[in-house]
Amino acid sequence: MQNFDFYNPTHILFGKGQIAAISAHIPAGARVLLTAGGGSIKANGVYEQTMKALEGRQVTEFWGIEPNPEYATLMKAVEIVRREKIGLILAVGGGSVLDGTKFIAAAAEFDGEPWDILTKGAEVKRATPLASILTLPATGSESNTFAVVSRRETGEKLAFGSPKVYPKFAVLDPETTFSLPLKQVANGVADAFTHVCEQYLTYPAGAALQDRFAESILRTLIEVGPKTLSNPTDYESRAVFVWSATMALNGLIGAGVPQDWATHMIGHELTALYGIDHARTLAVVLPHLLRVQKAQKLEKLAQFAERVWDIREGSVEERAEAAIRRTEEFYESLGIPTKLAKYEGIAAETPQAVAGKLEKRGMARIGERSDITPAKVREILALSLAA
Ligand code: NZQ
Ligand code: ZN
């Protein structure tokens, strides 16, 4: 097992009615900036519950954080945080509102050009405290250090990570997710599933417990994903899904193990170039990446086949291929196409365009062994295009 440093301070408030409990976790007298997206929280009653819980406090509101949050939008909120001496930023909505809020919190206390946090990996030394009421299970952003921000004028979608932006608390009330369109629920299941694969489908590292945690999350998502899609207001299955999505990317299963993340890096470029939903980009990349990297990932693919998909017949290669096929079928069963050609705007040049963008950004060697080169990125996307 590799050495690791695991620290996750986010206080999780899970379950029905937990929005009412937030006040106890906000310092007395702190001025609150509520951040939100395009209005889903007004339609489903979450805004009303939140304002009730914040009664008696000074609250400013910032609306309009878009899916794949935009730098220019977020910089407007940075002004407000600085001007109004905000003590806590409360992100109410999906992963984009929360990621955007993490960036706002870091940028508000940053000396210099905040864009450097994303392009140059400039260190985040301080951040305004932030917390979240999360209404879309998918990203794990509610208890991790990461955020992804886009800049449409330059076609960029970039990530940063810092322990300074861990949410102080996160409310996960499964009932707040009942209003999600089914497409977003499917996206959430696929995103969480892929997060586990990025940390599990690498090479053996003597981390038996992390492996079994990962396998249990995958099996749970395979079981509960279809249930929560076919019965979206069933509390029990939604609760299991919400908690699985958090556990998929809160640092626990990734501690002490090699990690891949090439699927996400390629996927972020597909979103930046073509506006494809984040989770959908993962479904068009992962199965094809696993095929191209089959030899390097063979042992873990065989373990994945046996322990996640109950595949015990055939040679190691056959079992690995069967597991990749089952993964593809799983995404498809959620209504998510795994073939690049199924998405709007894709052309014969797409593989080259994506590989070129990654290379320009200095990401010419990605994956757990740094062996996914621009040539391999082209091969992966060409496979997806031809499939
Ligand atoms: O804007 P509103 O009106 O709130 O509507 C949102 C949005 O249109 C809607 N929505 C959210 N909760 C709802 C709801 N509609 C009805 N009922 C509810 N309860 O859903 C739409 C999509 O929301 P968004 O926040 O964009 O989705 P998601 O949570 O999937 O976040 C995607 C973003 O997270 C990044 C992605 O790249 C993408 O930018 N990621 C962040 C990660 C992290 N921080 O660790 C890791 C991920 O791999 C990912 O890259
Ligand atoms: Zn993701």
Side-chain angles (χ1 to χ4, degrees):
M1 198 187 304
Q2 299 174 354
N3 287 4
F4 63 85
D5 177 338
F6 178 62
Y7 164 73
N8 190 322
T10 300
H11 197 128
I12 301 282
L13 299 165
F14 192 100
K16 293 182 194 186
Q18 286 282 39
I19 293 175
I22 61 173
S23 203
H25 300 272
I26 304 175
R31 296 166 81 113
V32 176
L33 176 67
L34 182 154
T35 51
S40 70
I41 64 164
K42 279 224 167 129
N44 63 12
V46 169
Y47 171 76
E48 211 182 318
Q49 288 183 58
T50 306
M51 292 312 276
K52 194 156 172 249
L54 293 174
E55 233 161 49
R57 292 178 179 272
Q58 269 192 299
V59 183
T60 305
E61 299 177 21
F62 182 82
W63 291 80
I65 299 180
E66 30 320 72
N68 306 309
E70 171 63 38
Y71 178 71
T73 307
L74 305 175
M75 288 308 291
K76 291 182 197 153
V78 169
E79 284 298 303
I80 300 172
V81 173
R82 287 178 176 160
R83 194 176 60 230
E84 300 195 10
K85 306 210 170 0
I86 296 296
L88 180 90
I89 319 178
L90 181 60
V92 189
S96 291
V97 171
L98 179 48
D99 278 14
T101 299
K102 287 177 172 176
F103 182 75
I104 295 165
E109 311 252 342
F110 191 74
D111 303 319
E113 170 52 62
W115 187 240
D116 290 351
I117 297 171
L118 294 154
T119 50
K120 299 188 181 153
E123 190 192 351
V124 174
K125 294 191 179 127
R126 295 176 304 278
T128 305
L130 67 111
S132 174
I133 295 171
L134 189 86
T135 63
L136 199 172
T139 61
S141 188
E142 64 276 16
S143 82
N144 73 31
T145 57
F146 309 116
V148 192
V149 173
S150 297
R151 202 165 183 172
R152 283 157 181 80
E153 56 174 3
T154 52
E156 286 167 291
K157 180 169 183 184
L158 303 170
F160 83 99
S162 164
K164 304 286 181 207
V165 298
Y166 263 122
K168 300 289 168 209
F169 63 82
V171 173
L172 299 173
D173 175 349
E175 287 188 329
T176 66
T177 75
F178 287 174
S179 55
L180 280 166
L182 287 182
K183 183 185 174 193
Q184 295 295 349
V185 178
N187 283 354
V189 174
D191 195 18
F193 186 91
T194 315
H195 292 159
V196 181
C197 292
E198 297 267 32
Q199 299 163 88
Y200 167 71
L201 287 176
T202 57
Y203 54 85
L209 183 62
Q210 291 90 323
D211 278 3
R212 286 203 157 85
F213 281 152
E215 287 151 1
S216 67
I217 298 170
L218 292 172
R219 289 195 75 118
T220 305
L221 286 167
I222 291 164
E223 195 178 288
V224 89
K227 272 193 202 160
T228 198
L229 270 171
S230 62
N231 196 353
T233 56
D234 171 50
Y235 181 83
E236 294 305 331
S237 56
R238 183 57 56 89
V240 172
F241 165 43
V242 168
W243 189 225
S244 302
T246 302
M247 294 300 287
L249 193 50
N250 67 354
L252 186 72
I253 65 168
V257 301
Q259 303 189 15
D260 184 337
W261 296 109
T263 294
H264 270 70
M265 290 172 190
I266 300 169
H268 286 170
E269 298 301 338
L270 286 169
T271 300
L273 283 169
Y274 307 102
I276 304 170
D277 289 355
H278 170 64
R280 292 172 176 247
T281 67
L282 308 177
V284 297
V285 175
L286 183 75
H288 310 287
L289 179 144
L290 294 177
R291 287 201 174 96
V292 169
Q293 294 293 91
K294 202 189 288 170
Q296 292 86 333
K297 291 178 182 286
L298 199 58
E299 276 185 76
K300 288 305 281 285
L301 280 169
Q303 183 178 323
F304 174 57
E306 181 176 339
R307 295 196 193 165
V308 176
W309 296 112
D310 298 316
I311 298 165
R312 294 190 177 78
E313 305 287 311
S315 66
V316 177
E317 282 78 10
E318 284 165 352
R319 278 179 273 146
E321 177 53 34
I324 297 170
R325 230 176 303 120
R326 295 289 293 276
T327 302
E328 236 161 17
E329 286 161 14
F330 180 61
Y331 288 129
E332 295 277 349
S333 76
L334 300 170
I336 302 182
T338 54
K339 297 165 179 56
L340 197 48
K342 288 273 161 84
Y343 294 86
E344 236 175 86
I346 300 297
E349 305 80 65
T350 297
Q352 176 55 41
V354 171
K357 281 195 76 187
L358 282 170
E359 191 171 13
K360 225 170 113 196
R361 217 185 291 303
M363 295 190 197
R365 303 192 72 83
I366 54 180
E368 71 274 13
R369 296 180 198 263
S370 303
D371 63 349
I372 301 184
T373 56
K376 276 196 182 167
V377 172
R378 282 197 298 275
E379 190 186 344
I380 291 161
L381 293 176
L383 259 183
S384 183
L385 201 54

